[in-house]
Amino acid sequence: LGGTDSSNQLEDYEEGNFTSTLLAGRGSAFTNETIQNATYTKIGRLCYINVRLNWTGTDNSGNSLEMELPFTCINATNGQIGTSGSMFYSGTSLKGGAAIVPHVATGQNDLTFYSSGGGSFSNVSRAEVNGSYDFVFSMVYEVQ
């Protein structure tokens, strides 16, 4: 990147597809999803993910809807609470049509889906995702 000085050299670059599983309550695999595309680009300590998945049905569980990530987010520093991304979906309205946001907390290797409706954030539970959906989301987060 413009010279041989060490401050100009790119020391870490990686890209590819990642295999992910939607989780319930940090661990149990969820079987209603089909990953259409899950890619990442990692440059230094920043990781960009882009995911598209299809969803059908529900299991009526009250557990949070979570998804594994290719790398673990950094631990909290200076009051950092993690990183959120952007998402859109097709299908029946979730959480009264409020925005659904993927969020990764510091020190975690999975993200949780939240609703921003009603003036506060609340987890999207597996029981609330009932029907056929197409989720598309992306985000950048800092890795350990």
Side-chain angles (χ1 to χ4, degrees):
L1 297 177
T4 58
D5 185 275
S6 64
S7 66
N8 292 331
Q9 293 181 7
L10 180 61
E11 60 184 58
D12 184 22
Y13 178 86
E14 184 179 339
E15 64 182 22
N17 297 319
F18 67 98
T19 302
S20 185
T21 302
L22 286 178
L23 304 172
R26 302 204 184 279
S28 303
F30 195 67
T31 59
N32 294 50
E33 87 280 3
T34 302
I35 304 291
Q36 297 296 317
N37 185 37
T39 62
Y40 71 92
T41 301
K42 182 177 171 284
I43 302 172
R45 292 179 59 181
L46 295 179
C47 181
Y48 167 77
I49 62 167
N50 190 29
V51 179
R52 181 176 186 174
L53 62 93
N54 297 116
W55 175 287
T56 54
T58 186
D59 71 353
N60 294 318
S61 167
N63 291 330
S64 298
L65 181 59
E66 302 172 356
M67 182 176 178
E68 294 176 314
L69 294 171
F71 302 97
T72 300
C73 186
I74 62 165
N75 287 319
T77 58
N78 300 324
Q80 182 181 4
I81 59 170
T83 302
S84 296
S86 61
M87 180 171 114
F88 71 92
Y89 68 92
S90 65
T92 313
S93 176
L94 292 173
K95 295 280 194 174
I100 304 298
V101 179
H103 177 79
V104 58
T106 62
Q108 299 298 318
N109 72 336
D110 57 330
L111 63 83
T112 303
F113 294 91
Y114 288 92
S115 164
S116 61
S120 65
F121 291 106
S122 61
N123 293 1
V124 175
S125 75
R126 292 167 56 172
E128 292 173 302
V129 185
N130 185 6
S132 294
Y133 294 89
D134 188 17
F135 293 108
V136 178
F137 60 93
S138 61
M139 66 186 304
V140 176
Y141 66 102
E142 194 171 0
V143 303
Q144 292 184 351

